[in-house]
Amino acid sequence: MKRERGIHEIYSGDPERADRQLWGRCAVPGTRRGFLSGLGAMSAVLGAKIVHAQHMPPGLIPAPLAEGGRTFRIEGKDGLVVLSERPLNAETPPHLLNDDVTPTERLFIRNNGHAPEAFIAIPWTVTVDGESVIRPQSYAIHDLKRRFDNISRQLVLECAGNGRASYLPPVPGNQWTLGAVGCPSWDGVLLRDVLEDCGVAKDAVYVAYWGADWDDAGNPPISRGVPVQKALQDDAMIAWGMNGRPLHTMNGFPLRLVFGGWPGATSGKWLRRISIRNVVHDGPKMGGQSYRVPCEPVAPGSEVPDENMCIIGAMPVKSLITHPQTGIRHPLRQSLNLHGHAWAGDTTVDRVRISTDFGRSWRRARLGPPANVGAWQNWDYRLRFRQRGYYEVWASAVDAERRAQPMVAPGWNPKGYQNNACHRIAVYVV
């Protein structure tokens, strides 16, 4: 029997032939090998007629087949799906992110190394140093609380690799689907107030962090940062709490940075040191291809030299359908209330659009304003169906600069970052 080639083999050959083979087929999720051919086969697996099938993008994997993962008990967390256990990385299924403000127990976990198992230093201090600091200082948490205005901000935290699992050809790393994002209310102080207390020299370029986590060799696993301009914004915080309580251990207790709208890797956890640099920071996972994308578009599967990779800044516009849960069975004669969130890096979301015919037509949802700079925006839409069958409900956000989410995964990159393709859920109308 002739063996059917897998995705890797298809892409390593003739690209035009690969396109012809992939279009009109549906890859079986999890294995990335094997295919379902034709609408009849897909309808049989789904157990219902696909409504608007004539508008279904060729090669699209139906939403119920595109999800996977397993839940795992993590103390203080609820319903997260574990992607790796050492170091611990876990995401939240979209329907568990339905709260307008993300509860602590529902915020994803992204670790590059191992969390400190004990916090011996009492009081916990953070030191501000670097080539471009005028007055180096150290602060205990009680110093931060006493000397600076205490604030609460709702800020979006999203892993740069959120959505990595959808890139083809596949890329290495944690196969995040949709749930490496959240928008809790963070409690702390503005990073700007602390930096200004120490003095920022005119030659300052970057603000970097060092945490107390460690890798298997006992070294810092990650030390990143942001341009000084971002560090001085209203969505840049030193946080000791989340939603009115201390930080969860896996989210950085007792102290962390939070930069709204930028890759979560910039928001250092278990914060011990902040460095005001006169150069672009050169800590672990700042060089090479870590948290970088090609400076110019590349063909899928390309090898990109390090010098052609650029550091990721603000995250792209994105939206999430958090209610209902995908796969719901819904009565034909009842309207369906949709709810979700949308965010757009350093800017705001202008509108959210909903489609039930695979993007052929769109209808505008009701969109609320952000609670503050750096927060996501909540949206709602009431939907009615005209006939029974299988539907996919798609959401697409457009930001204030008129950049819209793509219907499918955007430009491929070697590390699988910044996938902001439309979110979609399955609805069976009965």
Side-chain angles (χ1 to χ4, degrees):
M1 180 179 294
K2 185 177 179 181
R3 180 175 67 90
E4 181 141 21
R5 294 189 298 161
I7 293 291
H8 286 290
E9 296 169 282
I10 290 174
Y11 271 89
S12 63
D14 178 8
E16 293 185 3
R17 185 182 178 196
D19 285 344
R20 291 194 299 271
Q21 289 177 305
L22 287 171
W23 280 62
R25 292 173 164 187
C26 177
V28 176
T31 65
R32 298 192 186 275
R33 298 186 298 274
F35 294 88
L36 292 174
S37 297
L39 294 173
M42 284 192 284
S43 295
V45 171
L46 294 170
K49 174 186 174 182
I50 301 176
V51 182
H52 300 302
Q54 70 273 26
H55 305 307
M56 188 175 183
L60 183 74
I61 305 173
L65 306 180
E67 300 184 358
R70 63 186 182 89
T71 58
F72 186 83
R73 178 63 182 166
I74 303 170
E75 186 176 353
K77 295 290 183 178
D78 178 26
L80 271 62
V81 175
V82 170
L83 303 183
S84 68
E85 296 180 30
R86 187 175 175 87
L88 180 60
N89 289 283
E91 65 176 355
T92 312
H95 69 280
L96 295 183
L97 290 171
N98 194 49
D99 297 90
D100 290 348
V101 179
T102 306
T104 300
E105 62 270 21
R106 299 283 170 81
L107 184 65
F108 74 99
I109 296 170
R110 171 61 173 119
N111 290 340
N112 284 271
H114 308 298
E117 296 181 358
F119 300 94
I120 300 174
I122 301 295
W124 184 274
T125 60
V126 57
T127 298
V128 181
D129 60 15
E131 304 94 337
S132 296
V133 66
I134 296 174
R135 296 176 296 277
Q137 296 188 59
S138 292
Y139 303 91
I141 295 176
H142 66 80
D143 294 326
L144 297 174
K145 292 181 177 180
R146 177 177 55 85
R147 294 180 57 181
F148 305 105
D149 290 340
N150 290 201
I151 62 170
S152 294
R153 294 277 193 279
Q154 294 176 31
L155 300 177
V156 173
L157 186 71
E158 182 179 16
C159 178
N162 197 25
R164 177 179 289 135
S166 297
Y167 277 111
L168 289 175
V171 295
N174 289 302
Q175 297 301 298
W176 303 104
T177 60
L178 299 162
V181 66
C183 186
S185 179
W186 304 94
D187 308 309
V189 298
L190 284 175
L191 176 59
R192 178 178 63 224
D193 290 348
V194 177
L195 297 181
E196 290 178 349
D197 189 56
C198 295
V200 179
K202 293 182 179 180
D203 65 349
V205 173
Y206 239 69
V207 174
Y209 69 80
W210 296 89
D213 47 340
W214 47 277
D215 62 19
D216 288 335
N219 301 314
I222 185 170
S223 172
R224 290 182 50 78
V226 299
V228 66
Q229 294 86 351
K230 176 66 176 178
L232 298 176
Q233 298 301 310
D234 288 341
D235 57 357
M237 290 182 64
I238 300 176
W240 56 71
M242 190 192 312
N243 300 324
R245 303 190 66 180
L247 294 167
H248 186 278
T249 301
M250 288 295 137
N251 295 131
F253 175 85
L255 204 63
R256 69 170 298 159
L257 291 174
V258 184
F259 293 106
W262 278 49
T266 62
S267 297
K269 299 190 290 186
W270 309 293
L271 183 66
R272 297 309 303 265
R273 183 173 147 215
I274 299 171
S275 295
I276 307 175
R277 307 293 311 276
N278 61 2
V279 295
V280 175
H281 186 51
D282 54 0
K285 295 203 171 181
M286 274 298 297
Q289 304 208 354
S290 295
Y291 301 101
R292 293 172 180 248
V293 294
C295 301
E296 301 292 339
V298 300
S302 300
E303 292 187 10
V304 185
D306 290 354
E307 60 269 24
N308 293 341
M309 301 285 282
C310 290
I311 299 172
I312 298 171
M315 294 291 284
V317 62
K318 203 165 183 178
S319 60
L320 198 62
I321 304 169
T322 57
H323 181 82
Q325 182 177 358
T326 188
I328 186 176
R329 299 180 68 83
H330 184 75
L332 173 65
R333 300 187 183 281
Q334 292 184 14
S335 60
L336 177 62
N337 293 324
L338 305 178
H339 184 68
H341 320 296
W343 59 99
D346 279 341
T347 186
T348 56
V349 176
D350 178 71
R351 59 190 181 274
V352 172
R353 305 172 301 166
I354 303 299
S355 177
T356 57
D357 55 10
F358 299 101
R360 185 173 183 268
S361 63
W362 297 90
R363 287 161 283 183
R364 196 161 178 165
R366 185 174 71 253
L367 178 67
N372 49 253
V373 173
W376 64 22
Q377 296 167 242
N378 303 300
W379 61 264
D380 295 277
Y381 187 79
R382 178 171 291 182
L383 186 62
R384 286 191 175 275
F385 301 94
R386 294 184 177 181
Q387 61 178 294
R388 293 177 174 85
Y390 170 82
Y391 288 81
E392 290 201 1
V393 180
W394 293 41
S396 174
V398 181
D399 72 15
E401 298 180 17
R402 298 185 178 179
R403 294 171 296 200
Q405 289 183 258
M407 288 183 60
V408 296
W412 184 92
N413 62 87
K415 301 290 284 186
Y417 294 131
Q418 294 189 303
N419 183 357
N420 68 329
C422 293
H423 183 207
R424 56 200 176 96
I425 64 170
V427 176
Y428 295 86
V429 177
V430 296

